[in-house]
Amino acid sequence: MTGDTGARMRRPGRKVAACLAALLPVAVAVGVYAFGRTHTPDYTSGLFGQHGVGVFELKARLGSALMALAIVQLLLGLWMYRRLPGAGAAPHRVHPTHRLIGLLAFLLSLPIAYQCITAYGVDFTSSRVAVHSITGCVLYGAFVAKVLVVRSRRLPGWALPVAGGVLVAAIALMWYTAALWFFTGSAPGF
């Protein structure tokens, strides 16, 4: 096999990986959106025994914990790829710690998302609620994108920081439009 033939054989694999990395996250986001728009909301839905204002406070606290985990994830990711100024090379234990915290963040997000989507669905009653709803759909698409990018060796080097950045940005926007809004009475600009 010549070098040219080997290069041609590798290109389709890279294109398929890139296509999957782009389409599957979009399909997940669209699927969450479609469910949220067609599902009949149950405004009485609770979370861990909390109802009414208690649910809002619990979700705001859980969302704040999720935001803290996302910040830790961002810092660990920057450290692993030597982009954290003054930190030097990350010790080996940082990699599994990053994975574990990512798993914890994902698991923490699930009850929040479940209560939001079953109680309210995807709603456009105000700009804050619309941004929150759409960002919630994007968040799970971004999570799928990050998992695919991390697992693939065929995608360009910029794909991982973009996927991770979108995921952290989505969590931050979700926190801004819900937890901060709850704790302050209304977030600036909404």
Side-chain angles (χ1 to χ4, degrees):
M1 173 170 26
T2 66
D4 184 45
T5 304
R8 277 187 281 169
M9 289 177 69
R10 282 191 299 268
R11 281 189 206 122
R14 187 177 199 135
K15 288 179 183 178
V16 169
C19 188
L20 274 177
L23 292 179
L24 190 56
V26 170
V28 167
V30 168
V32 172
Y33 174 84
F35 176 79
R37 289 300 289 169
T38 58
H39 162 72
T40 302
D42 176 9
Y43 300 112
T44 63
S45 177
L47 180 64
F48 300 127
Q50 297 293 318
H51 294 279
V53 176
V55 165
F56 296 140
E57 182 176 355
L58 178 58
K59 287 192 322 186
R61 291 185 187 285
L62 292 173
S64 295
L66 179 60
M67 184 68 229
L69 290 174
I71 291 168
V72 170
Q73 281 292 90
L74 176 62
L75 293 172
L76 289 174
L78 290 170
W79 194 10
M80 287 187 319
Y81 290 97
R82 293 181 172 223
R83 300 286 188 237
L84 193 59
H92 178 68
R93 68 183 181 276
V94 169
H95 294 268
T97 302
H98 182 76
R99 274 187 232 109
L100 179 61
I101 291 174
L103 175 63
L104 291 174
F106 175 73
L107 294 174
L108 180 60
S109 76
L110 292 176
I112 304 166
Y114 177 79
Q115 199 280 332
C116 283
I117 197 109
T118 58
Y120 308 107
V122 173
D123 193 0
F124 299 112
T125 55
S126 71
S127 59
R128 178 192 67 82
V129 171
V131 167
H132 188 78
S133 291
I134 296 299
T135 306
C137 299
V138 169
L139 181 126
Y140 287 98
F143 175 78
V144 169
K146 178 146 188 300
V147 168
L148 288 174
V149 170
V150 164
R151 299 283 180 208
S152 175
R153 301 283 184 239
R154 297 176 181 246
L155 295 172
W158 55 262
L160 183 57
V162 167
V166 169
L167 186 54
V168 170
I171 292 169
L173 190 54
M174 294 292 292
W175 177 81
Y176 178 81
T177 58
L180 181 63
W181 178 82
F182 175 80
F183 289 134
T184 63
S186 67
F190 283 92

